[in-house]
mmCIF file of all heavy atoms in Angstrom:
data_model
loop_
_atom_site.group_PDB
_atom_site.id
_atom_site.type_symbol
_atom_site.label_atom_id
_atom_site.label_comp_id
_atom_site.label_asym_id
_atom_site.label_seq_id
_atom_site.Cartn_x
_atom_site.Cartn_y
_atom_site.Cartn_z
ATOM 1 N N ASP A 642 6.109 28.571 -6.933
ATOM 2 C CA ASP A 642 5.060 28.835 -7.915
ATOM 3 C C ASP A 642 4.814 30.337 -7.980
ATOM 4 O O ASP A 642 4.458 30.964 -6.973
ATOM 5 C CB ASP A 642 3.781 28.104 -7.503
ATOM 6 C CG ASP A 642 2.744 28.077 -8.611
ATOM 7 O OD1 ASP A 642 2.760 28.976 -9.470
ATOM 8 O OD2 ASP A 642 1.913 27.151 -8.611
ATOM 9 N N ALA A 643 5.002 30.909 -9.169
ATOM 10 C CA ALA A 643 4.861 32.356 -9.337
ATOM 11 C C ALA A 643 3.411 32.788 -9.521
ATOM 12 O O ALA A 643 3.137 33.992 -9.596
ATOM 13 C CB ALA A 643 5.687 32.808 -10.538
ATOM 14 N N ARG A 644 2.471 31.837 -9.569
ATOM 15 C CA ARG A 644 1.068 32.211 -9.769
ATOM 16 C C ARG A 644 0.559 33.064 -8.603
ATOM 17 O O ARG A 644 0.978 32.890 -7.461
ATOM 18 C CB ARG A 644 0.182 30.970 -9.871
ATOM 19 C CG ARG A 644 0.362 30.135 -11.106
ATOM 20 C CD ARG A 644 -0.600 28.952 -11.122
ATOM 21 N NE ARG A 644 -0.542 28.183 -9.882
ATOM 22 C CZ ARG A 644 -1.594 27.955 -9.088
ATOM 23 N NH1 ARG A 644 -2.775 28.439 -9.389
ATOM 24 N NH2 ARG A 644 -1.455 27.232 -7.993
ATOM 25 N N GLU A 645 -0.361 33.939 -8.901
ATOM 26 C CA GLU A 645 -0.982 34.741 -7.863
ATOM 27 C C GLU A 645 -1.682 33.822 -6.863
ATOM 28 O O GLU A 645 -2.380 32.886 -7.244
ATOM 29 C CB GLU A 645 -2.002 35.700 -8.477
ATOM 30 C CG GLU A 645 -2.624 36.659 -7.475
ATOM 31 C CD GLU A 645 -3.587 37.643 -8.120
ATOM 32 O OE1 GLU A 645 -3.650 37.671 -9.366
ATOM 33 O OE2 GLU A 645 -4.273 38.363 -7.375
ATOM 34 N N GLY A 646 -1.437 34.058 -5.602
ATOM 35 C CA GLY A 646 -2.027 33.229 -4.564
ATOM 36 C C GLY A 646 -1.151 32.082 -4.137
ATOM 37 O O GLY A 646 -1.473 31.360 -3.186
ATOM 38 N N ASP A 647 -0.041 31.873 -4.844
ATOM 39 C CA ASP A 647 0.910 30.838 -4.463
ATOM 40 C C ASP A 647 2.198 31.524 -4.011
ATOM 41 O O ASP A 647 2.233 32.741 -3.849
ATOM 42 C CB ASP A 647 1.149 29.863 -5.612
ATOM 43 C CG ASP A 647 1.383 28.438 -5.118
ATOM 44 O OD1 ASP A 647 2.243 28.287 -4.230
ATOM 45 O OD2 ASP A 647 0.751 27.499 -5.625
ATOM 46 N N VAL A 648 3.250 30.746 -3.800
ATOM 47 C CA VAL A 648 4.483 31.280 -3.238
ATOM 48 C C VAL A 648 5.662 30.843 -4.089
ATOM 49 O O VAL A 648 5.846 29.643 -4.334
ATOM 50 C CB VAL A 648 4.689 30.805 -1.784
ATOM 51 C CG1 VAL A 648 6.021 31.299 -1.242
ATOM 52 C CG2 VAL A 648 3.543 31.292 -0.905
ATOM 53 N N LEU A 649 6.462 31.795 -4.540
ATOM 54 C CA LEU A 649 7.636 31.482 -5.350
ATOM 55 C C LEU A 649 8.827 31.091 -4.479
ATOM 56 O O LEU A 649 9.476 30.083 -4.739
ATOM 57 C CB LEU A 649 7.998 32.679 -6.228
ATOM 58 C CG LEU A 649 9.205 32.479 -7.159
ATOM 59 C CD1 LEU A 649 8.970 31.314 -8.111
ATOM 60 C CD2 LEU A 649 9.482 33.758 -7.938
ATOM 61 N N ASN A 650 9.121 31.865 -3.454
ATOM 62 C CA ASN A 650 10.232 31.537 -2.564
ATOM 63 C C ASN A 650 9.673 30.922 -1.282
ATOM 64 O O ASN A 650 9.088 31.602 -0.443
ATOM 65 C CB ASN A 650 11.058 32.771 -2.236
ATOM 66 C CG ASN A 650 12.285 32.434 -1.401
ATOM 67 O OD1 ASN A 650 12.561 31.262 -1.119
ATOM 68 N ND2 ASN A 650 13.033 33.450 -1.002
ATOM 69 N N ARG A 651 9.872 29.630 -1.142
ATOM 70 C CA ARG A 651 9.283 28.888 -0.031
ATOM 71 C C ARG A 651 10.283 28.678 1.109
ATOM 72 O O ARG A 651 10.179 27.705 1.848
ATOM 73 C CB ARG A 651 8.748 27.553 -0.550
ATOM 74 C CG ARG A 651 7.657 27.747 -1.599
ATOM 75 C CD ARG A 651 7.151 26.448 -2.189
ATOM 76 N NE ARG A 651 5.913 26.685 -2.931
ATOM 77 C CZ ARG A 651 4.921 25.815 -3.027
ATOM 78 N NH1 ARG A 651 5.011 24.636 -2.460
ATOM 79 N NH2 ARG A 651 3.827 26.119 -3.698
ATOM 80 N N THR A 652 11.213 29.559 1.259
ATOM 81 C CA THR A 652 12.201 29.431 2.326
ATOM 82 C C THR A 652 11.554 29.566 3.706
ATOM 83 O O THR A 652 10.511 30.210 3.862
ATOM 84 C CB THR A 652 13.313 30.481 2.189
ATOM 85 O OG1 THR A 652 14.317 30.234 3.186
ATOM 86 C CG2 THR A 652 12.762 31.887 2.356
ATOM 87 N N TYR A 653 12.199 28.966 4.698
ATOM 88 C CA TYR A 653 11.768 29.106 6.091
ATOM 89 C C TYR A 653 12.980 29.428 6.972
ATOM 90 O O TYR A 653 12.961 29.175 8.184
ATOM 91 C CB TYR A 653 11.091 27.820 6.575
ATOM 92 C CG TYR A 653 11.897 26.570 6.298
ATOM 93 C CD1 TYR A 653 12.897 26.150 7.164
ATOM 94 C CD2 TYR A 653 11.657 25.822 5.145
ATOM 95 C CE1 TYR A 653 13.649 25.031 6.899
ATOM 96 C CE2 TYR A 653 12.407 24.695 4.877
ATOM 97 C CZ TYR A 653 13.399 24.299 5.756
ATOM 98 O OH TYR A 653 14.148 23.183 5.487
ATOM 99 N N ARG A 654 14.011 29.981 6.380
ATOM 100 C CA ARG A 654 15.228 30.281 7.138
ATOM 101 C C ARG A 654 14.901 31.161 8.351
ATOM 102 O O ARG A 654 14.114 32.111 8.259
ATOM 103 C CB ARG A 654 16.263 30.971 6.260
ATOM 104 C CG ARG A 654 17.551 31.314 7.029
ATOM 105 C CD ARG A 654 18.573 31.998 6.172
ATOM 106 N NE ARG A 654 19.255 31.040 5.301
ATOM 107 C CZ ARG A 654 20.240 31.368 4.448
ATOM 108 N NH1 ARG A 654 20.628 32.638 4.358
ATOM 109 N NH2 ARG A 654 20.807 30.450 3.698
ATOM 110 N N ASN A 655 15.516 30.797 9.463
ATOM 111 C CA ASN A 655 15.416 31.505 10.743
ATOM 112 C C ASN A 655 14.050 31.377 11.415
ATOM 113 O O ASN A 655 13.813 31.999 12.454
ATOM 114 C CB ASN A 655 15.782 32.985 10.606
ATOM 115 C CG ASN A 655 17.242 33.169 10.253
ATOM 116 O OD1 ASN A 655 18.100 32.449 10.763
ATOM 117 N ND2 ASN A 655 17.520 34.112 9.365
ATOM 118 N N LYS A 656 13.168 30.562 10.864
ATOM 119 C CA LYS A 656 11.873 30.354 11.510
ATOM 120 C C LYS A 656 11.967 29.230 12.538
ATOM 121 O O LYS A 656 12.858 28.384 12.496
ATOM 122 C CB LYS A 656 10.798 30.048 10.475
ATOM 123 C CG LYS A 656 10.460 31.235 9.595
ATOM 124 C CD LYS A 656 9.311 30.887 8.662
ATOM 125 C CE LYS A 656 8.978 32.033 7.732
ATOM 126 N NZ LYS A 656 7.883 31.681 6.800
ATOM 127 N N LEU A 657 10.986 29.219 13.428
ATOM 128 C CA LEU A 657 10.978 28.298 14.555
ATOM 129 C C LEU A 657 9.955 27.190 14.323
ATOM 130 O O LEU A 657 8.839 27.447 13.876
ATOM 131 C CB LEU A 657 10.627 29.056 15.837
ATOM 132 C CG LEU A 657 10.873 28.348 17.167
ATOM 133 C CD1 LEU A 657 12.375 28.195 17.411
ATOM 134 C CD2 LEU A 657 10.226 29.150 18.307
ATOM 135 N N ALA A 658 10.373 25.962 14.629
ATOM 136 C CA ALA A 658 9.456 24.825 14.567
ATOM 137 C C ALA A 658 9.296 24.247 15.964
ATOM 138 O O ALA A 658 10.277 24.083 16.700
ATOM 139 C CB ALA A 658 9.987 23.754 13.621
ATOM 140 N N SER A 659 8.061 23.939 16.316
ATOM 141 C CA SER A 659 7.764 23.287 17.589
ATOM 142 C C SER A 659 6.970 22.025 17.310
ATOM 143 O O SER A 659 5.998 22.051 16.542
ATOM 144 C CB SER A 659 6.953 24.204 18.507
ATOM 145 O OG SER A 659 7.668 25.380 18.806
ATOM 146 N N VAL A 660 7.356 20.909 17.899
ATOM 147 C CA VAL A 660 6.627 19.667 17.720
ATOM 148 C C VAL A 660 5.587 19.534 18.822
ATOM 149 O O VAL A 660 5.677 20.187 19.874
ATOM 150 C CB VAL A 660 7.576 18.451 17.710
ATOM 151 C CG1 VAL A 660 8.580 18.570 16.574
ATOM 152 C CG2 VAL A 660 8.280 18.277 19.048
ATOM 153 N N SER A 661 4.599 18.699 18.586
ATOM 154 C CA SER A 661 3.480 18.600 19.529
ATOM 155 C C SER A 661 3.782 17.718 20.724
ATOM 156 O O SER A 661 3.063 17.762 21.722
ATOM 157 C CB SER A 661 2.242 18.064 18.805
ATOM 158 O OG SER A 661 2.483 16.746 18.333
ATOM 159 N N ASN A 662 4.836 16.911 20.654
ATOM 160 C CA ASN A 662 5.101 15.962 21.727
ATOM 161 C C ASN A 662 6.453 16.182 22.398
ATOM 162 O O ASN A 662 7.178 15.233 22.695
ATOM 163 C CB ASN A 662 5.005 14.515 21.211
ATOM 164 C CG ASN A 662 6.037 14.195 20.139
ATOM 165 O OD1 ASN A 662 6.386 15.055 19.337
ATOM 166 N ND2 ASN A 662 6.522 12.966 20.126
#
Side-chain angles (χ1 to χ4, degrees):
D642 192 334
R644 291 182 308 122
E645 185 177 352
D647 214 309
V648 176
L649 181 59
N650 185 4
R651 299 177 167 213
T652 185
Y653 50 84
R654 179 180 283 182
N655 294 321
K656 291 184 182 179
L657 194 69
S659 299
V660 300
S661 63
N662 63 326

